[in-house]
Amino acid sequence: MTDNVYSTICPGCNFGCGLYIRENGALEIDFRKSSPANAGKLCRFGMNLPKLFAPARSMVDGKETTIEEAAKEAAKRISASKGSVAFLSLGNTTSEELLAFQKIAESSLYTGAVAALPEDTYQTLNIGIPYSEIEAAKHIVLFLDPYEQYPLIVRRLLSAKKKGAKISAVWWKDLPLADENIRPADVSKLALSKDSLIIADYNPLSDTEQVKNVLALAKNAGARITFLKPFANSTGAYLMAKGIKQKSISQLVDDINKGTVKTLFSLESDPLSVISQETLGKLTNLIIQAGQESAVTKKASVVIAHEPLYKKKGTLINNEGRAQALGGAGTSGLEALGIIAGAKFDFLALHESMKKAIGITAVDEFTIPKYERPAYGAIQASVKPIDATTALVSVYNPFMWSGLPDDNDFVELSLKSVQALKLLKGATVKIRSNGSAVEKKFRVAPVQDNILLTGNRFGIEKGIITPVELSR
Ligand code: SF4
């Protein structure tokens, strides 16, 4: 039997790392050295992709069925709750599927691509600069942890450093590659000029004031700014939905809690990564269309199980705006969307619309289309200081966004904090928040004294920053 080999893109973040996936009984990863984003390298998440692609099964109320039957049932439930249905896609699927999804969603589309931010910042927020420009920068300022959140950017940063770039980090932990480490509360000490390039994170749970703050810092100094984003097609999701009315995740949470949204249809996105289990439990129908099994497919009333991303036909757009073709031929996801829409979608027509939306005539991963980066107006930010004496900071990373368990199940805290709590080597630290408590292993790291950093979800979080109490 010959193996099936797919040339594909890692769905772990919007960096756009290329790789081969080989079906050989089990799934295997092969490196694709020609890939322009990553030259074959993969991070820990990319190397763990076979674990992510556990096949999903189509289900209705816990009973296994065919994809067609599940899609028909979803169509029935969506039509029965007309007026109280929300459509969620965070951008983890092809641009062609996203265009079809929008046609179904009409005015009830919720994505991670919008927030309460000025509209003239959208292009800057959503389309990053080419990685070659990062390598050529003279002064790079990081408002994220590249090792944890977007690991393949580290190679570009080291290359810039080799060429003489100074790297400043505004973060809760000292970063080994930074020449200057500034804590977020001391951001006023940061000296920026028009030679500076700010690199920040923009995700559906981003604190709006923090995002405004970095935009304002860049604007006031005449510095450049680029945002990295967490989903394989985050940039495509923005470009495909440009000009279409959308709602933010916090609005969706409010709408479910108020009861104005009773049915949620999520396309290739894990609602548990952005909405609490308690809120999701208030829905009458949770409809999940996905290519792999996850904690949320086990809770859904309807699961429409299509092919995994690597088997799909379609286009992703990475953080630089590069259009990248997936090497599969699968269109079962699109066909299921056609059943829900009541009319078949034509892949080629959607593909043409995708090309038109980004102004290209052919998909070529080696050429970055020209995008406008219009100036945005003056911005006022009112960043709230952390008022708790101790706080748990969640550092969102590919494992957290995709709900894939991570082996790094520990918190990082400073030596001074470990000594103050009299924590013993190899023991655990008790973390309490609002009546809930967890016990976690810890690791000593150069972290701000009143902060615990985690790349995991413990179920006690209240957003990115959670006030906590600690004990041994
Ligand atoms: S998670 Fe992001 S950085 Fe890591 S291999 Fe995948 S695309 Fe690349």
Side-chain angles (χ1 to χ4, degrees):
M1 196 178 103
T2 44
D3 300 348
N4 286 327
V5 180
Y6 299 86
S7 173
T8 192
I9 308 295
C10 170
C13 73
N14 195 211
F15 206 81
C17 297
L19 71 151
Y20 296 110
I21 289 190
R22 179 186 298 272
E23 283 182 337
N24 176 22
L27 292 186
E28 287 171 7
I29 300 284
D30 284 339
F31 303 103
R32 182 151 72 86
K33 293 208 170 76
S34 62
S35 173
N38 60 321
K41 305 272 189 302
L42 293 172
C43 74
R44 211 158 52 81
F45 183 88
M47 296 300 295
N48 271 289
L49 279 183
K51 284 192 202 158
L52 178 77
F53 290 124
R57 285 169 302 153
S58 293
M59 313 279 272
V60 172
D61 295 330
K63 282 202 193 101
E64 193 164 349
T65 184
T66 61
I67 181 169
E68 290 80 14
E69 288 308 316
K72 279 182 197 162
E73 185 60 30
K76 251 195 247 166
R77 295 188 190 198
I78 288 169
S79 136
S81 35
K82 210 172 167 47
S84 62
V85 191
F87 296 82
L88 171 72
S89 182
L90 298 171
N92 242 346
T93 193
T94 65
S95 303
E96 290 80 358
E97 260 186 26
L98 288 170
L99 286 170
F101 191 61
Q102 276 166 33
K103 293 196 171 124
I104 302 172
E106 292 175 349
S107 61
S108 302
L109 185 66
Y110 295 77
T111 72
V114 291
L117 288 155
E119 214 168 319
D120 62 358
T121 64
Y122 283 7
Q123 191 87 352
T124 305
L125 284 165
N126 287 290
I127 302 176
I129 64 169
Y131 304 145
S132 56
E133 287 189 30
I134 294 175
E135 290 188 53
K138 291 187 180 147
H139 177 214
I140 297 171
V141 183
L142 300 170
F143 277 83
L144 45 68
D145 179 344
Y147 300 96
E148 179 74 21
Q149 296 177 281
Y150 300 97
L152 262 297
I153 195 87
V154 173
R155 291 178 64 237
R156 308 289 182 156
L157 297 171
L158 291 174
S159 159
K161 213 171 142 105
K162 227 173 168 179
K163 292 181 196 151
K166 175 187 170 187
I167 301 189
S168 304
V170 183
W171 195 245
W172 287 279
K173 177 169 96 170
D174 292 350
L175 301 179
L177 53 57
D179 302 290
E180 174 187 39
N181 282 287
I182 297 172
R183 298 293 175 235
D186 299 328
V187 67
S188 57
K189 293 183 186 157
L190 177 68
L192 291 169
S193 74
K194 54 178 180 17
D195 283 336
S196 305
L197 166 63
I198 293 177
I199 305 179
D201 174 39
Y202 178 51
N203 69 63
L205 300 179
S206 284
D207 179 304
T208 306
E209 293 307 315
Q210 287 290 358
V211 175
K212 279 190 195 164
N213 192 37
V214 287
L215 284 163
L217 286 171
K219 169 98 190 160
N220 297 342
R224 283 178 303 157
I225 185 162
T226 187
F227 290 86
L228 300 180
K229 303 180 294 297
F231 306 108
N233 202 18
S234 296
T235 302
Y238 161 72
L239 286 164
M240 296 308 112
K242 221 170 152 181
I244 289 181
K245 207 165 171 282
Q246 298 165 63
K247 298 177 188 173
S248 69
I249 299 303
S250 59
Q251 281 170 291
L252 176 56
V253 170
D254 283 353
D255 292 345
I256 299 174
N257 284 329
K258 277 191 303 206
T260 49
V261 163
K262 292 195 170 66
T263 294
L264 178 64
F265 177 21
S266 168
L267 174 65
E268 282 282 41
S269 303
D270 181 356
L272 279 172
S273 68
V274 287
I275 304 171
S276 73
Q277 212 153 298
E278 194 193 339
T279 299
L280 284 180
K282 294 178 184 165
L283 292 164
T284 312
N285 292 298
L286 175 59
I287 303 168
I288 302 286
Q289 179 166 331
Q292 65 265 338
E293 196 169 72
S294 67
V296 81
T297 57
K298 291 177 191 150
K299 292 182 191 308
S301 29
V302 179
V303 179
I304 303 164
H306 58 220
E307 63 277 280
L309 189 75
Y310 69 87
K311 285 193 179 185
K312 277 185 187 172
K313 181 165 151 181
T315 318
L316 303 182
I317 298 163
N318 88 336
N319 202 68
E320 302 165 284
R322 237 179 246 282
Q324 299 170 294
L326 290 171
T331 53
S332 70
L334 205 57
E335 281 150 28
L337 290 172
I339 293 174
I340 294 165
K344 252 184 152 191
F345 287 109
D346 174 16
F347 176 85
L348 280 178
L350 293 168
H351 187 68
E352 286 307 310
S353 303
M354 178 280 299
K355 288 195 290 185
K356 209 168 151 206
I358 56 174
I360 56 171
T361 51
V363 172
D364 168 17
E365 66 174 347
F366 296 101
T367 309
I368 301 177
K370 289 256 174 294
Y371 296 97
E372 279 176 29
R373 290 184 65 82
Y376 51 90
I379 295 184
Q380 283 294 325
S382 45
V383 183
K384 274 195 254 137
I386 303 178
D387 37 19
T389 46
T390 309
L392 175 73
V393 175
S394 302
V395 186
Y396 284 92
N397 58 48
F399 287 91
M400 284 167 97
W401 288 119
S402 66
L404 191 67
D406 184 7
D407 304 333
N408 280 358
D409 192 18
F410 54 76
V411 291
E412 289 186 315
L413 69 175
S414 72
L415 182 60
K416 207 169 148 193
S417 303
V418 169
Q419 287 169 339
L421 289 160
K422 298 197 173 59
L423 297 176
L424 300 173
K425 202 174 167 202
T428 53
V429 57
K430 282 197 189 103
I431 312 165
R432 277 192 199 81
S433 163
N434 292 321
S436 310
V438 289
E439 254 182 73
K440 289 288 153 192
K441 286 191 190 142
F442 65 88
R443 196 164 82 170
V444 175
V447 176
Q448 183 176 319
D449 283 337
N450 59 341
I451 295 291
L452 279 89
L453 293 181
T454 177
N456 258 286
R457 271 209 181 86
F458 303 145
I460 58 165
E461 297 82 3
K462 301 274 169 254
I464 291 175
I465 297 173
T466 308
V468 290
E469 285 167 26
L470 304 180
S471 61
R472 52 185 287 194

